[in-house]
Amino acid sequence: MSLDEVTISRAIIARYSNKLTDNLKLDAAVVGGGPAGLVCAWRLALKGRKVALFERKLSVGGGMWGGGMMFNEIVVQAEAKPILDELGVPSVEFEPGYFTADAVTCMSTLTSKACLAGAAVFNLISVEDVMVREDRVTGLVINWSAVEMGGLHVDPLVLAASWVVEATGHATEVMAVIQRKVDQKLLTPSGRLEGERSMWAERAETDTLKNTKEAFPGVIVAGMSANATFGSYRMGPVFGGMLLSGEKAARIIDERLG
Ligand code: 48H
């Protein structure tokens, strides 16, 4: 068979355009492809929900690839081990209750599971703003990350979502843009972002799960951004809270969608 370069180009342009067009009205739009966002997208896709995940970088994975200080092993506490088991990611008990897993196996498997379950994953797209109607976030404003990086003056596009999952990690970017631009209090004690606190793994992990909830009408915060939004601690390279938080965010959305 002879290969025609223009056919290859047409195939990519046509298929990508279809994929993007097909994901402009979503049950859930997940912002950020770290562990929390990916688990959330995976779980929602398994429930048959229409879900897409938008990741700024070339690769999804966020802070998981590097384990702790580039030692690419992660620690997952006993409570979250069933998620690794369900993914099929091998883990080994180090001391009672502390399981370790290879960070690359974990992230690549999670990504694969999310995609194969039906979540659409769009890398190289940054969420730069939200759409608000009647005091509720109803969609996302997206642009190519290359436009953002290049500082180019190119207008964005918009998609609609019944729910937005803010899983942008430490920077909690979606909540930050809401705080900056929307004249309405956040659903936090002060009505503003409470801010991330320093290291306390035990408290941080428990709080991550508690803080996984609606932080603005239409927006569920998950993962590290849940603690940054509601003012709790960081936890270092223990990832159980991130996985469980993604799972909880998906459960909340699935229930609310009915
Ligand atoms: C599109 C965006 C945007 C945007 C950011 O940082 P992450 O891995 O987030 P989590 O919450 O799933 O996991 C946190 C964990 O990795 C971590 O940092 C821990 C446990 N730290 C503890 C500690 O003590 O330091 O992933 C977030 C993803 C990244 O890939 C970003 O590129 C992406 O979100 N992102 N994507 N549009 N505006 N902002």
Side-chain angles (χ1 to χ4, degrees):
M1 182 193 133
S2 66
L3 279 174
D4 174 48
E5 292 83 352
V6 173
T7 305
I8 294 169
S9 301
R10 277 199 299 111
I12 288 172
I13 294 166
R15 292 288 194 249
Y16 186 89
S17 298
N18 285 346
K19 189 162 59 177
L20 190 55
T21 308
D22 187 46
N23 283 283
L24 293 179
K25 281 196 173 179
L26 297 163
D27 289 330
V30 180
V31 189
L38 276 166
V39 169
C40 181
W42 171 46
R43 288 295 198 215
L44 283 169
L46 285 178
K47 290 277 185 190
R49 300 301 185 180
K50 188 151 187 65
V51 53
L53 181 150
F54 299 88
E55 166 55 49
R56 167 180 288 136
K57 295 191 176 150
L58 181 55
S59 15
V60 289
M64 193 181 250
W65 296 115
M69 215 178 90
M70 296 205 268
F71 292 37
N72 66 357
E73 287 280 322
I74 58 163
V75 170
V76 166
Q77 59 275 53
E79 292 83 346
K81 184 178 181 301
I83 300 182
L84 294 183
D85 293 344
E86 192 182 334
L87 286 167
V89 171
S91 60
V92 184
E93 196 163 34
F94 180 70
E95 282 186 16
Y98 295 75
F99 294 86
T100 61
D102 177 76
V104 175
T105 308
C106 192
M107 190 34 75
S108 54
T109 307
L110 182 51
T111 306
S112 166
K113 291 281 184 187
C115 294
L116 294 177
V121 174
F122 292 93
N123 56 341
L124 296 167
I125 290 185
S126 292
V127 171
E128 62 172 56
D129 207 339
V130 293
M131 178 163 71
V132 178
R133 291 289 180 280
E134 289 163 12
D135 302 333
R136 190 179 198 281
V137 167
T138 56
L140 294 176
V141 178
I142 58 170
N143 213 329
W144 302 118
S145 301
V147 165
E148 180 185 69
M149 290 164 73
L152 305 176
H153 188 164
V154 178
D155 275 354
L157 293 173
V158 182
L159 61 92
S162 302
W163 286 94
V164 165
V165 180
E166 144 67 273
T168 67
H170 295 267
T172 190
E173 288 195 22
V174 175
M175 293 307 296
V177 82
I178 293 172
Q179 173 170 274
R180 197 167 68 246
K181 290 190 158 191
V182 183
D183 190 19
Q184 187 179 329
K185 284 191 170 172
L186 310 182
L187 302 173
T188 57
S190 69
R192 299 187 55 78
L193 287 170
E194 305 295 343
E196 181 187 310
R197 305 180 73 183
S198 56
M199 181 70 80
W200 190 350
E202 168 87 30
R203 283 280 302 273
E205 285 292 275
T206 317
D207 284 354
T208 307
L209 211 51
K210 279 194 210 142
N211 291 335
T212 301
K213 56 186 175 185
E214 197 168 7
F216 189 86
V219 182
I220 307 289
V221 287
M224 201 58 229
S225 82
N227 280 3
T229 299
F230 286 100
S232 185
Y233 300 88
R234 67 187 301 181
M235 68 298 285
V238 57
F239 280 86
M242 299 299 116
L243 305 176
L244 291 166
S245 169
E247 193 170 67
K248 182 178 172 189
R251 199 166 52 241
I252 295 170
I253 290 172
D254 189 54
E255 280 167 14
R256 302 273 187 100
L257 285 168

